[in-house]
Amino acid sequence: MRDGNYKTMMNGSSDCREILQIITSCNNIVNKKREKSSTNDSSSLSREERRRRRRATQKYRTAHATRERIRVEAFNVAFAELRKLLPTLPPDKKLSKIEILRLAICYIAYLNHVLEA
């Protein structure tokens, strides 16, 4: 081709035909591999890989964040209700969650002691 023999190569030399057949057969093999990899992409994935892909979507992350906010809000409401039932001085003292739990344990133990006496 460098020598300007492009027309003679295209006019039917057997070497050119063989080269063209090899090139087209290689292209066909590559295309078939691409088709297989794209069709088997989702079916060949393990359950964990499919789960990771699903979790990577924006829709899933938004829904998960909403569920998490609802869960945390319910958790905080439960702590607030428990806090209202516990006697403290002063009554409006702000307590951390761990302090509320420890105070609840002590208060339950005290009430249990009162019932036994």
Side-chain angles (χ1 to χ4, degrees), residues 44-90:
S44 67
L45 297 176
S46 71
R47 179 182 292 171
E48 185 63 29
E49 289 168 333
R50 285 193 306 267
R51 186 177 296 144
R52 281 189 194 132
R53 282 193 177 182
R54 185 181 71 238
R55 288 179 177 171
T57 64
Q58 181 64 35
K59 182 180 176 182
Y60 182 88
R61 286 194 305 263
T62 304
H64 178 71
T66 303
R67 287 191 305 269
E68 180 65 12
R69 274 193 299 277
I70 292 168
R71 186 191 71 82
V72 169
E73 186 177 327
F75 189 74
N76 290 336
V77 167
F79 267 104
E81 291 295 317
L82 180 59
R83 168 67 186 88
K84 288 178 189 175
L85 299 173
L86 299 174
T88 57
L89 289 174

Side-chain angles (χ1 to χ4, degrees), residues 1 5-13 16-17 19-20 23:
M1 285 209 277
N5 295 337
Y6 181 74
K7 288 185 180 179
T8 57
M9 288 177 65
M10 289 288 122
N11 284 336
S13 78
C16 289
R17 286 184 188 152
I19 291 171
L20 287 173
I23 290 172

